[in-house]
Amino acid sequence: MSKYEVIIGLEIHVQARTESKVFCSCKNEFGAPSNSNVCPICLAHPGVLPVVNREAINQIIKAGLLTDSDIALYSKFDRKSYFYPDQPKNYQITQFDLPFAANGKIPIGGKGLSGEMIEARDINMERIHLEEDVGKSVHHGTHSTVDYNRAGVPLLETVSMPEMHSADEAYAYVQSLQQIMRYGGISDCDQEKGQFRCDVNISLHKPGTPFGTKIEIKNLNSTRHIWLSVNHEIDRQTDILDELEGTGPNGEDGVLPVQETRRWNDARQETVLMRTKESADDYRYFPEPDLPPVVTTAEEVEAFRADLLMKPQAYRDKFVKEFKITEYDAHVLTLEKPTADFFLEAASGTKNPKGVANIMMNNLNKLLSELGKSIADTALEPKHLSQLVELAEAGKIAKSSFGKLLPELCEKGGNAEDVAKSAGVIIEQDSGALEGWVDEVIAKNDKAVAEFKEGQKNALNFLMGQVMKASRGKANPPMVVKMINQKLR
C-alpha cells in the first residue's frame, strides 16, 4: 500500500457529431484534403462574424441530460487567449463561467485494465461546455504545416471532479463516458480520428495533508495510454515526494515545486515535460462580444429529455432484471451499442435469453474476431440467434453445432433451421431410424454389451458414441440412451 493518496481529474474533449462546424457552415468532416473545409470565418479573416450552430447546442444539451447534468437555461460564450499556430484567431471561442451543463455524473465499475475489480460508484462531473476545436499541426522533420479543416469543429469539453484514485478508475471513467456519448448519438468518439482526447490532472499527497501540486498530462488519445501514463506518473511523483520527505523549512514534507504540463512518450514509456502550466489568468477570459447569450426554455429541455436514447446503464439494468443474465455478461454485451441492440432484439424473441447471451459471448465473439468484422458487417440478424436457441431447446440441434452454423448465417443469412438441415446437423427424432442405428451397434459390439450387462458405466458411453458415429451425429442422445437401456435390460 502506498503512503500517498492519488487524486485524479479528467478533462475530455469530445467532437460533436454535426454536419457543419460550430460557428460557420464548413463541413465537419474527417479525412478531407488538407485545408479544403475552410472559409473566412474559421480562418479568422478580418471583419467576419461567427454564427452559432444550433445543432451543436442541441448535442451538448443531450449530452448533459445523458449524464444527469443540470442544463443552463441561460448560457454565454467567452474568448480565451490561445497563442498557438493551430489556432488562426489567436483566441478560442469557449465557455468560462456559464457552461451549458453542470453537476453531472458518470458511473464506473467492472474490471479494470489491471484485471482488478473496480468499486461501482458515480464520479461527479463539474461541467460540460461547448467550444471550437483548433487546427492540426503536422510535423515533417525539418518543417511543420497546419491543416485548418478541424479548426471550428464543435467540441464538448467534459470536466470531472478530482474523485478518481487509480489508473483503473480513470480507465473506467473514460470507457463509461465514451459509451454514453456513442449511445446518445453525440459523437463516434473515434480516438484514431482525434474525436475523443483526454487531459489527465494528477497529484499525490499524504492523507490528512493539503492536496499536492497538480500535474497535467496533455492530449492522450488512447485509453491504454491514459492508463499507462497515470501509472507512470504515480510512480514518478512518489519517487520525488520520497526524496522531499522532511525537507520543508520546519521539517515538514516537501511538495512538487512546479505545476507542469507533460505528455506521454509511448516509445520511452514515460511522461515528458512540455511546459510549465498556465493558470486561468494567463488565458485572459472575457465575454465573446460577437455572439449573443443562448437562452433555452424548460419546455425545450423536457422535449430533448423525452427523445433521449437509452443510456448504457439502462441497457445493463434491463438485461440483468428482465433477461436474468449476469452483471458481467451485461457489461460485455453493452460495450458497443450495435451489440446491445442486437442482443436486446434477439433475447426478446426467445424464452431463453441466457442462451442468446452465451452464443454471443462465446461462439459469435470468437467468429467475429477471426473474421475481423462487427455484427453490422455480416448478414446475421437477431432472429437467427433466437432460432438457434429455440432449435437447441427443442432438441433439434446440438449446442456444439452453433460453431458450424454461425459462419454460414454470418455470410448469407437465411432461416436457421434450413441452414441446419443443409449442414446435416438436424438431430434425428424418428424412433424407427434411431432403432436401426442402435440395433446395428449392439450387433457389432458384443464385448461392450456384455460389459453393460455387468454394470460397467463406461460401456453405455461407448455404445452411445458408436450410435452417434453411425448416425453422423444426427441421433437424439436422450432417446438413444433410453433405447439402449430398454433393449439391453
Side-chain angles (χ1 to χ4, degrees):
M1 293 288 290
S2 172
K3 59 186 173 184
Y4 302 108
E5 182 180 24
V6 178
I7 305 296
I8 300 170
L10 300 180
E11 299 175 12
I12 298 177
H13 296 81
V14 181
Q15 280 190 6
R17 188 193 295 170
T18 57
E19 289 292 327
S20 57
K21 295 182 180 181
V22 64
F23 298 123
C24 67
S25 59
C26 292
K27 285 185 178 180
N28 176 6
E29 175 187 34
F30 178 83
S34 297
N35 296 306
S36 58
N37 289 337
V38 294
C39 71
I41 294 175
C42 55
L43 290 178
H45 288 191
V48 298
L49 291 174
V51 177
V52 69
N53 181 346
R54 181 67 216 193
E55 183 56 26
I57 295 175
N58 295 347
Q59 290 287 58
I60 195 171
I61 291 175
K62 288 190 289 184
L65 293 173
L66 286 166
T67 54
D68 297 325
S69 300
D70 300 328
I71 306 301
L73 300 185
Y74 179 91
S75 188
K76 69 176 177 65
F77 290 98
D78 300 274
R79 284 190 185 182
K80 173 184 177 182
S81 298
Y82 202 85
F83 298 104
Y84 294 106
D86 49 12
Q87 177 51 273
K89 291 192 290 289
N90 278 336
Y91 64 84
Q92 180 186 35
I93 301 178
T94 181
Q95 294 190 284
F96 181 51
D97 57 336
L98 292 176
F100 281 101
N103 305 319
K105 58 186 180 183
I106 300 294
I108 66 170
K111 186 180 291 186
L113 205 55
S114 69
E116 297 293 322
M117 295 304 295
I118 300 166
E119 176 192 356
R121 63 189 181 96
D122 288 335
I123 302 296
N124 291 305
M125 275 201 313
E126 176 190 327
R127 60 194 283 150
I128 309 176
H129 64 256
L130 178 62
E131 62 186 22
E132 59 181 338
D133 207 344
V134 297
K136 181 180 180 180
S137 296
V138 184
H139 305 293
H140 306 279
T142 59
H143 66 284
S144 298
T145 57
V146 183
D147 179 5
Y148 288 117
N149 280 347
R150 197 173 70 182
V153 165
L155 274 188
L156 311 186
E157 180 169 353
T158 68
V159 182
S160 83
M161 299 298 287
E163 296 179 352
M164 288 158 275
H165 306 291
S166 70
D168 274 351
E169 287 196 341
Y171 170 82
Y173 178 95
V174 169
Q175 293 282 85
S176 183
L177 178 63
Q178 234 175 14
Q179 275 192 327
I180 290 169
M181 294 297 176
R182 286 171 174 165
Y183 272 62
I186 309 299
S187 173
D188 294 329
C189 296
D190 189 325
Q191 292 173 304
E192 291 185 359
K193 296 179 180 178
Q195 296 172 348
F196 191 92
R197 310 191 296 275
C198 180
D199 300 337
V200 174
N201 294 303
I202 177 171
S203 67
L204 272 63
H205 70 115
K206 285 186 176 179
T209 65
F211 281 6
T213 304
K214 180 177 66 176
I215 301 298
E216 182 180 38
I217 312 170
K218 197 77 174 171
N219 292 332
L220 296 160
N221 61 357
S222 155
T223 49
R224 175 179 167 274
H225 289 173
I226 292 167
W227 187 83
L228 288 171
S229 63
V230 168
N231 277 325
H232 174 270
E233 194 60 22
I234 290 172
D235 292 341
R236 189 187 73 86
Q237 292 187 34
T238 296
D239 290 342
I240 295 173
L241 292 176
D242 283 346
E243 291 179 4
L244 293 172
E245 195 165 18
T247 60
N250 299 311
E252 72 274 17
D253 291 340
V255 296
L256 298 182
V258 180
Q259 186 174 339
E260 297 175 346
T261 297
R262 303 177 72 85
R263 64 178 177 84
W264 175 248
N265 186 314
D266 197 43
R268 291 163 52 179
Q269 292 287 289
E270 64 181 15
T271 63
V272 295
L273 178 66
M274 289 177 65
R275 58 182 180 269
T276 55
K277 176 63 180 172
E278 302 94 338
S279 67
D281 291 340
D282 295 318
Y283 292 131
R284 299 192 302 281
Y285 286 97
F286 66 91
E288 170 55 55
D290 292 335
L291 288 169
V294 178
V295 177
T296 307
T297 67
E299 290 76 16
E300 287 174 324
V301 173
E302 290 310 307
F304 281 116
R305 195 189 306 275
D307 288 338
L308 280 183
L309 299 174
M310 278 177 63
K311 303 178 189 178
Q313 188 60 50
Y315 276 89
R316 289 192 285 271
D317 292 343
K318 182 180 182 69
F319 292 172
V320 171
K321 292 176 183 176
E322 294 186 20
F323 297 143
K324 310 301 180 186
I325 66 173
T326 66
E327 292 275 0
Y328 175 76
D329 286 358
H331 171 75
V332 173
L333 290 168
T334 54
L335 289 175
E336 300 290 343
K337 189 173 187 297
T339 304
D341 287 333
F342 194 98
F343 174 73
L344 177 60
E345 185 175 343
S348 300
T350 177
K351 296 178 182 177
N352 182 12
K354 176 61 176 173
V356 173
N358 288 340
I359 295 176
M360 292 186 69
M361 297 271 292
N362 301 313
N363 311 83
L364 186 56
N365 276 356
K366 180 182 178 182
L367 176 62
L368 293 175
S369 178
E370 292 171 352
L371 296 174
K373 294 181 177 181
S374 67
I375 292 180
D377 297 326
T378 71
L380 190 70
E381 298 177 23
K383 66 181 180 182
H384 297 147
L385 295 193
S386 304
Q387 291 166 356
L388 286 178
V389 170
E390 295 305 314
L391 288 171
E393 289 286 304
K396 292 185 176 182
I397 62 172
K399 292 179 181 178
S400 59
S401 299
F402 293 160
K404 187 174 182 178
L405 300 177
L406 279 171
E408 178 75 11
L409 289 168
C410 283
E411 182 180 355
K412 299 179 181 178
N415 180 275
E417 186 166 3
D418 292 340
V419 173
K421 287 177 180 177
S422 299
V425 298
I426 292 291
I427 293 174
E428 183 60 67
Q429 308 273 9
D430 179 74
S431 58
L434 292 177
E435 188 170 17
W437 289 319
V438 170
D439 288 344
E440 177 186 343
V441 168
I442 289 174
K444 290 181 178 179
N445 293 277
D446 293 338
K447 181 181 177 183
V449 169
E451 290 173 349
F452 175 86
K453 291 181 177 179
E454 291 171 1
Q456 295 187 29
K457 295 181 179 179
N458 287 339
L460 176 60
N461 293 334
F462 175 80
L463 293 169
M464 173 68 185
Q466 293 302 303
V467 173
M468 297 306 294
K469 184 177 179 181
S471 68
R472 296 183 180 178
K474 296 181 180 180
N476 183 299
M479 292 179 68
V480 170
V481 171
K482 182 178 180 180
M483 194 170 289
I484 291 174
N485 275 293
Q486 287 174 342
K487 287 182 175 290
L488 298 184
R489 289 186 187 278

